[in-house]
Amino acid sequence: MMCRTLLIIVVAALLLETMPAAVRADPEPIIADTLKIWKVRFERFKSARYKISGTIETKNNLEISATDPDASRIVRDPSDSIKQNLQATVTIDLERKHFRIEETTQSTNHSAITKITAYNGISLQRGIVRDPKANGSQEPDINIIKGYLGNQQAADAYLFPVFMAHGIVPTVFSHLRPDRLPISNSPEDFTLSSKASLSGRECVLLRTNPTGSTPTLADEFWIDSNRDCAILRFVHWQLQTKNPFYRIDVEYAPGQGTWMPTKWIETHSIGGKVMAISHLNVDTMELNIPIHDGDFTIANQKGMRVNIIEFPEPGKGLDPYSPARSSYLTSESGRLEPIGEPTEFTTTDGVKLPPSKSSWRWMIGTGLVVALIVIVLLILGKRANNNPLRRS
């Protein structure tokens, strides 16, 4: 009898040990409930358009070229502090996960600059609307980025609240990648930190922890569970510094059956030093609006310089940070006419592949077209020779 009881205990222990995690009781139901509500936020509307305004104050300004996805050209402004007015329109197709962002910034004694970022499910496009009076610029008007988009960011952190309002929540494990918006975060990515009060609201604190791939980064989310798990504060930490890389504090108001953002402050730091502070307000919010494919493509016009940039997939022996590039000038008919020599990929050993690879592709394609024309002409000639009217 004792042996049988012992056997039952051992078998029960083994079954409990091998039981799938999903079958066991969830030790942190708050995390699972939060992620479910974020999913509901994403599925609640088909589309959304926000018009936002405010200011961005930058310290020791570092301005990255608007159309350079590699951020290889950095312009240092001699001013210690620059305050810019911002007008932004963010349009999101939540069903197809497409988006378009138009940002117009203007500072004292400077002309307005409009940057456009758009993703249409095929390519990420970054463009800049230039002053028509400014001639001679060799910078591209549009960059069309294809291939691997894992190194690209859909939007700057000061626009994150728009995406987070719809359950699109970036973390160290899943950033705001254009072609893979983070809409299905895993419960295993979060830990329940504690509870705290923020602006008189009781909040649950969720954290992501450093991993082998992100050893110095972590996130902290201040969640208002009584307001559809709205994120009142989002902190992205660089653990080696005393200050977060950025912190976003958001205010909400009721609307459309849930709680939506109305204003926020984003503080950006580098090396523990505050570099920029953004104060932004939602002027208008439209939900379930009609949208069209053209909304997510930057219009190409006569005289525009266009770069087509393709990033290789990792794991193929090619440097994913060294894309292939080709440059074009838009003709009167709207066609892209090649200018300059294209560049190919670079191997992980730093060897640049010769542009002949592109030339061979072009030659093969041209050869196929010529062969097709010859075949068509031969068929037409044969039919003409067999025409009885011709023989008579």
Side-chain angles (χ1 to χ4, degrees):
M1 185 69 177
M2 183 178 292
C3 292
R4 183 180 297 174
T5 304
L6 214 62
L7 181 61
I8 292 173
I9 293 173
V10 170
V11 171
L14 289 173
L15 287 173
L16 184 62
E17 182 64 27
T18 57
M19 186 182 297
V23 178
R24 301 179 189 177
D26 188 348
E28 303 293 358
I30 293 177
I31 296 176
D33 291 343
T34 298
L35 298 187
K36 286 179 183 177
I37 294 175
W38 286 354
K39 187 74 171 177
V40 171
R41 277 184 170 271
F42 176 75
E43 295 173 346
R44 179 174 279 123
F45 307 110
K46 294 182 178 181
S47 60
R49 176 173 291 134
Y50 290 77
K51 290 191 176 180
I52 299 163
S53 64
T55 60
I56 300 177
E57 185 175 359
T58 308
K59 308 288 186 180
N60 297 321
N61 189 47
L62 295 178
E63 181 184 351
I64 299 176
S65 174
T67 57
D68 189 350
D70 302 327
S72 59
R73 190 181 71 88
I74 296 180
V75 179
R76 296 180 181 272
D77 195 293
S79 303
D80 180 65
S81 179
I82 294 179
K83 193 170 185 178
Q84 295 178 311
N85 294 319
L86 172 70
Q87 299 281 339
T89 301
V90 181
T91 304
I92 309 176
D93 181 341
L94 294 161
E95 287 190 308
R96 296 186 298 173
K97 306 179 187 66
H98 299 175
F99 61 86
R100 180 189 182 96
I101 302 170
E102 296 188 25
E103 303 172 71
T104 300
T105 55
Q106 186 170 19
S107 55
T108 306
N109 300 326
H110 289 80
S111 59
I113 297 176
T114 299
K115 297 184 294 184
I116 304 174
T117 303
Y119 178 71
N120 59 5
I122 300 173
S123 64
L124 176 68
Q125 302 152 60
R126 299 190 189 276
I128 184 167
V129 180
R130 302 186 186 282
D131 185 345
K133 298 178 182 178
N135 298 319
S137 174
Q138 298 300 308
E139 285 287 299
D141 297 285
I142 303 174
N143 272 337
I144 300 175
I145 307 169
K146 299 181 177 182
Y148 177 67
L149 300 181
N151 300 325
Q152 304 297 316
Q153 179 98 324
D156 289 311
Y158 56 74
L159 292 178
F160 279 10
V162 172
F163 290 87
M164 294 191 301
H166 297 278
I168 304 171
V169 182
T171 70
V172 295
F173 302 105
S174 183
H175 70 278
L176 202 65
R177 175 173 166 171
D179 56 340
R180 295 182 188 176
L181 295 176
I183 58 174
S184 299
N185 291 299
S186 173
E188 288 75 21
D189 292 343
F190 299 87
T191 58
L192 180 61
S193 175
S194 61
K195 292 186 177 182
S197 179
L198 180 64
S199 301
R201 302 294 305 175
E202 189 71 21
C203 294
V204 173
L205 272 62
L206 302 186
R207 283 195 175 189
T208 61
N209 294 319
T211 66
S213 59
T214 58
T216 63
L217 301 178
D219 305 300
E220 185 175 77
F221 299 90
W222 294 56
I223 310 297
D224 189 339
S225 301
N226 295 319
R227 290 183 172 179
D228 281 351
C229 291
I231 300 172
L232 302 191
R233 175 175 288 173
F234 178 22
V235 187
H236 183 64
W237 294 93
Q238 284 187 310
L239 300 182
Q240 70 272 30
T241 64
K242 62 179 181 180
N243 288 340
F245 187 57
Y246 54 78
R247 192 185 88 183
I248 308 172
D249 292 279
V250 191
E251 295 183 23
Y252 291 81
Q256 300 294 325
T258 183
W259 291 82
M260 303 300 286
T262 57
K263 63 174 66 174
W264 59 86
I265 300 174
E266 189 261 343
T267 305
H268 177 66
S269 303
I270 297 179
K273 181 181 178 181
V274 174
M275 300 297 291
I277 302 176
S278 304
H279 294 260
L280 299 177
N281 305 281
V282 175
D283 297 328
T284 62
M285 176 184 63
E286 301 173 273
L287 302 170
N288 293 329
I289 56 173
I291 50 181
H292 310 281
D293 289 342
D295 294 337
F296 307 102
T297 300
I298 301 178
N300 187 16
Q301 300 175 4
K302 171 190 171 183
M304 281 188 171
R305 291 178 175 269
V306 179
N307 277 357
I308 296 181
I309 302 167
E310 183 178 357
F311 285 87
E313 293 282 344
K316 296 186 177 181
L318 302 173
D319 184 356
Y321 294 94
S322 298
R325 295 173 180 266
S326 51
S327 299
Y328 303 87
L329 189 65
T330 308
S331 67
E332 286 193 19
S333 63
R335 293 185 58 183
L336 295 179
E337 303 293 344
I339 54 175
E341 289 294 326
T343 60
E344 276 291 342
F345 298 122
T346 301
T347 68
T348 52
D349 297 327
V351 178
K352 289 187 175 294
L353 298 180
S356 57
K357 184 177 179 182
S358 297
S359 300
W360 277 113
R361 284 201 294 260
W362 179 84
M363 289 174 64
I364 291 172
T366 304
L368 290 174
V369 172
V370 171
L372 183 62
I373 293 173
V374 170
I375 292 171
V376 171
L377 291 175
L378 288 174
I379 292 173
L380 292 176
K382 187 175 181 179
R383 287 181 178 178
N385 290 332
N386 293 332
N387 190 332
L389 294 177
R390 181 184 178 91
R391 287 198 299 268
S392 63

